[in-house]
CSV table of all heavy atoms in Angstrom, one decimal:
chain,number,residue,atom,x,y,z
A,1,ARG,N,42.7,3.7,-23.5
A,1,ARG,CA,41.7,2.6,-23.7
A,1,ARG,C,40.4,3.0,-23.1
A,1,ARG,O,39.3,2.7,-23.8
A,1,ARG,CB,42.3,1.4,-23.0
A,1,ARG,CG,41.4,0.1,-23.2
A,1,ARG,CD,42.1,-1.1,-22.7
A,1,ARG,NE,42.4,-1.1,-21.3
A,1,ARG,CZ,43.6,-0.9,-20.8
A,1,ARG,NH1,44.7,-0.8,-21.6
A,1,ARG,NH2,43.8,-0.9,-19.5
A,2,ALA,N,40.3,3.7,-22.0
A,2,ALA,CA,39.0,4.0,-21.4
A,2,ALA,C,38.3,5.0,-22.2
A,2,ALA,O,37.1,4.9,-22.4
A,2,ALA,CB,39.3,4.6,-20.0
A,3,PHE,N,39.0,6.0,-22.8
A,3,PHE,CA,38.3,6.9,-23.7
A,3,PHE,C,37.8,6.2,-25.0
A,3,PHE,O,36.7,6.5,-25.5
A,3,PHE,CB,39.3,8.1,-24.1
A,3,PHE,CG,39.3,9.2,-23.1
A,3,PHE,CD1,40.3,9.3,-22.1
A,3,PHE,CD2,38.2,10.2,-23.0
A,3,PHE,CE1,40.3,10.3,-21.2
A,3,PHE,CE2,38.2,11.2,-22.1
A,3,PHE,CZ,39.3,11.3,-21.2
A,4,LYS,N,38.6,5.3,-25.5
A,4,LYS,CA,38.2,4.6,-26.7
A,4,LYS,C,37.0,3.7,-26.4
A,4,LYS,O,36.1,3.6,-27.3
A,4,LYS,CB,39.4,3.7,-27.2
A,4,LYS,CG,39.1,2.9,-28.5
A,4,LYS,CD,40.3,2.2,-28.9
A,4,LYS,CE,40.0,1.4,-30.2
A,4,LYS,NZ,41.2,0.7,-30.7
A,5,GLU,N,37.0,3.1,-25.2
A,5,GLU,CA,35.8,2.2,-24.8
A,5,GLU,C,34.7,3.0,-24.2
A,5,GLU,O,33.7,2.4,-23.8
A,5,GLU,CB,36.3,1.2,-23.9
A,5,GLU,CG,37.4,0.2,-24.5
A,5,GLU,CD,37.9,-0.8,-23.5
A,5,GLU,OE1,37.7,-0.6,-22.3
A,5,GLU,OE2,38.7,-1.7,-23.9
A,6,ARG,N,34.8,4.3,-24.1
A,6,ARG,CA,33.8,5.2,-23.7
A,6,ARG,C,33.3,4.9,-22.2
A,6,ARG,O,32.1,5.0,-21.9
A,6,ARG,CB,32.6,5.2,-24.6
A,6,ARG,CG,32.9,5.5,-26.0
A,6,ARG,CD,31.8,5.3,-27.0
A,6,ARG,NE,32.2,5.6,-28.4
A,6,ARG,CZ,31.5,5.3,-29.4
A,6,ARG,NH1,30.3,4.8,-29.3
A,6,ARG,NH2,31.9,5.6,-30.7
A,7,THR,N,34.3,4.6,-21.4
A,7,THR,CA,34.0,4.4,-20.0
A,7,THR,C,34.3,5.6,-19.1
A,7,THR,O,34.1,5.6,-17.9
A,7,THR,CB,34.8,3.2,-19.4
A,7,THR,OG1,36.2,3.4,-19.5
A,7,THR,CG2,34.4,1.9,-20.1
A,8,VAL,N,34.8,6.7,-19.8
A,8,VAL,CA,35.0,7.9,-19.1
A,8,VAL,C,33.8,8.8,-19.2
A,8,VAL,O,33.2,8.9,-20.3
A,8,VAL,CB,36.2,8.7,-19.7
A,8,VAL,CG1,36.4,10.1,-19.0
A,8,VAL,CG2,37.5,7.9,-19.6
A,9,ASP,N,33.3,9.3,-18.1
A,9,ASP,CA,32.1,10.1,-18.1
A,9,ASP,C,32.5,11.6,-18.2
A,9,ASP,O,33.0,12.2,-17.3
A,9,ASP,CB,31.2,9.9,-16.9
A,9,ASP,CG,29.9,10.7,-16.9
A,9,ASP,OD1,29.6,11.2,-18.0
A,9,ASP,OD2,29.3,10.8,-15.8
A,10,LYS,N,32.3,12.2,-19.4
A,10,LYS,CA,32.5,13.6,-19.6
A,10,LYS,C,31.2,14.4,-19.6
A,10,LYS,O,30.4,14.1,-20.5
A,10,LYS,CB,33.3,13.9,-20.9
A,10,LYS,CG,34.6,13.2,-21.0
A,10,LYS,CD,35.2,13.3,-22.4
A,10,LYS,CE,34.4,12.5,-23.4
A,10,LYS,NZ,35.0,12.5,-24.8
A,11,THR,N,31.0,15.3,-18.7
A,11,THR,CA,29.7,16.0,-18.6
A,11,THR,C,30.0,17.5,-18.9
A,11,THR,O,30.9,18.1,-18.2
A,11,THR,CB,29.1,15.9,-17.2
A,11,THR,OG1,28.9,14.5,-16.9
A,11,THR,CG2,27.7,16.6,-17.2
A,12,TYR,N,29.3,18.0,-19.8
A,12,TYR,CA,29.4,19.5,-20.2
A,12,TYR,C,28.1,20.2,-19.9
A,12,TYR,O,27.0,19.6,-19.9
A,12,TYR,CB,29.7,19.6,-21.7
A,12,TYR,CG,31.0,19.0,-22.1
A,12,TYR,CD1,31.1,17.7,-22.4
A,12,TYR,CD2,32.1,19.9,-22.4
A,12,TYR,CE1,32.3,17.1,-22.9
A,12,TYR,CE2,33.3,19.3,-22.8
A,12,TYR,CZ,33.4,18.0,-23.1
A,12,TYR,OH,34.6,17.5,-23.5
A,13,HIS,N,28.2,21.5,-19.6
A,13,HIS,CA,27.1,22.3,-19.6
A,13,HIS,C,27.2,23.3,-20.7
A,13,HIS,O,28.3,23.8,-20.9
A,13,HIS,CB,26.9,23.1,-18.2
A,13,HIS,CG,26.3,22.2,-17.2
A,13,HIS,ND1,26.0,22.7,-15.9
A,13,HIS,CD2,25.9,20.9,-17.2
A,13,HIS,CE1,25.4,21.7,-15.2
A,13,HIS,NE2,25.4,20.6,-15.9
A,14,ALA,N,26.1,23.6,-21.4
A,14,ALA,CA,26.2,24.6,-22.5
A,14,ALA,C,24.9,25.4,-22.4
A,14,ALA,O,23.8,25.0,-22.1
A,14,ALA,CB,26.2,23.8,-23.8
A,15,LEU,N,25.1,26.7,-22.7
A,15,LEU,CA,24.0,27.6,-22.8
A,15,LEU,C,23.8,27.9,-24.3
A,15,LEU,O,24.6,28.4,-25.0
A,15,LEU,CB,24.3,28.9,-22.1
A,15,LEU,CG,23.2,29.9,-21.9
A,15,LEU,CD1,22.1,29.4,-21.0
A,15,LEU,CD2,23.7,31.3,-21.4
A,16,VAL,N,22.6,27.4,-24.8
A,16,VAL,CA,22.3,27.5,-26.2
A,16,VAL,C,21.2,28.4,-26.4
A,16,VAL,O,20.3,28.6,-25.6
A,16,VAL,CB,22.1,26.1,-26.8
A,16,VAL,CG1,23.2,25.1,-26.6
A,16,VAL,CG2,20.7,25.5,-26.3
A,17,GLN,N,21.1,29.0,-27.6
A,17,GLN,CA,20.0,29.9,-28.0
A,17,GLN,C,18.7,29.1,-28.2
A,17,GLN,O,18.7,28.0,-28.7
A,17,GLN,CB,20.4,30.6,-29.2
A,17,GLN,CG,21.6,31.6,-29.0
A,17,GLN,CD,22.0,32.3,-30.3
A,17,GLN,OE1,23.0,32.9,-30.4
A,17,GLN,NE2,21.1,32.3,-31.3
A,18,GLY,N,17.6,29.7,-27.7
A,18,GLY,CA,16.3,29.1,-27.9
A,18,GLY,C,16.1,27.9,-27.0
A,18,GLY,O,16.9,27.7,-26.0
A,19,LEU,N,15.1,27.1,-27.3
A,19,LEU,CA,14.8,25.9,-26.5
A,19,LEU,C,14.7,24.7,-27.4
A,19,LEU,O,13.8,24.5,-28.3
A,19,LEU,CB,13.4,26.1,-25.9
A,19,LEU,CG,12.9,24.9,-25.1
A,19,LEU,CD1,13.8,24.5,-23.9
A,19,LEU,CD2,11.4,25.2,-24.6
A,20,PRO,N,15.7,23.7,-27.3
A,20,PRO,CA,15.7,22.5,-28.1
A,20,PRO,C,14.4,21.7,-27.9
A,20,PRO,O,13.9,21.6,-26.8
A,20,PRO,CB,16.9,21.7,-27.6
A,20,PRO,CG,17.8,22.8,-27.0
A,20,PRO,CD,16.9,23.8,-26.4
A,21,ASP,N,13.9,21.1,-29.0
A,21,ASP,CA,12.7,20.3,-28.9
A,21,ASP,C,13.0,18.9,-29.6
A,21,ASP,O,13.4,18.9,-30.8
A,21,ASP,CB,11.6,21.0,-29.7
A,21,ASP,CG,10.3,20.2,-29.6
A,21,ASP,OD1,10.1,19.3,-28.8
A,21,ASP,OD2,9.4,20.4,-30.5
A,22,PRO,N,13.0,17.8,-28.8
A,22,PRO,CA,12.5,17.7,-27.4
A,22,PRO,C,13.5,18.2,-26.4
A,22,PRO,O,14.7,18.5,-26.8
A,22,PRO,CB,12.3,16.2,-27.3
A,22,PRO,CG,13.4,15.6,-28.2
A,22,PRO,CD,13.4,16.5,-29.4
A,23,VAL,N,13.1,18.4,-25.2
A,23,VAL,CA,13.9,18.9,-24.1
A,23,VAL,C,14.9,17.9,-23.6
A,23,VAL,O,15.8,18.3,-22.9
A,23,VAL,CB,13.1,19.5,-23.0
A,23,VAL,CG1,12.2,20.6,-23.4
A,23,VAL,CG2,12.2,18.4,-22.3
A,24,GLN,N,14.8,16.7,-24.0
A,24,GLN,CA,15.8,15.6,-23.7
A,24,GLN,C,15.9,14.8,-24.9
A,24,GLN,O,14.9,14.3,-25.5
A,24,GLN,CB,15.3,14.8,-22.5
A,24,GLN,CG,16.4,13.7,-22.1
A,24,GLN,CD,16.0,13.0,-20.8
A,24,GLN,OE1,15.0,13.4,-20.1
A,24,GLN,NE2,16.7,12.0,-20.5
A,25,GLY,N,17.1,14.6,-25.4
A,25,GLY,CA,17.3,13.8,-26.6
A,25,GLY,C,18.7,13.4,-27.0
A,25,GLY,O,19.6,13.7,-26.2
A,26,THR,N,18.9,12.8,-28.1
A,26,THR,CA,20.2,12.4,-28.6
A,26,THR,C,20.3,12.9,-30.0
A,26,THR,O,19.4,12.8,-30.9
A,26,THR,CB,20.3,10.9,-28.6
A,26,THR,OG1,20.2,10.4,-27.3
A,26,THR,CG2,21.6,10.4,-29.3
A,27,ILE,N,21.5,13.5,-30.3
A,27,ILE,CA,21.8,13.9,-31.6
A,27,ILE,C,22.8,12.9,-32.2
A,27,ILE,O,23.9,12.7,-31.7
A,27,ILE,CB,22.5,15.3,-31.6
A,27,ILE,CG1,21.6,16.3,-30.9
A,27,ILE,CG2,22.7,15.8,-33.1
A,27,ILE,CD1,22.2,17.7,-30.6
């Protein structure tokens, strides 16, 4: 239920090529 309701905080780190623009955003 918590995963379905999105109350679980999952934090990932990723090393991606280049520099995303903007440097903070939502896909």
Side-chain angles (χ1 to χ4, degrees):
R1 184 169 60 252
F3 275 100
K4 183 177 181 180
E5 295 175 352
R6 302 173 185 173
T7 60
V8 177
D9 182 16
K10 300 173 290 182
T11 305
Y12 295 81
H13 279 186
L15 188 67
V16 304
Q17 293 177 195
L19 177 62
D21 180 20
V23 295
Q24 181 173 352
T26 295
I27 306 168

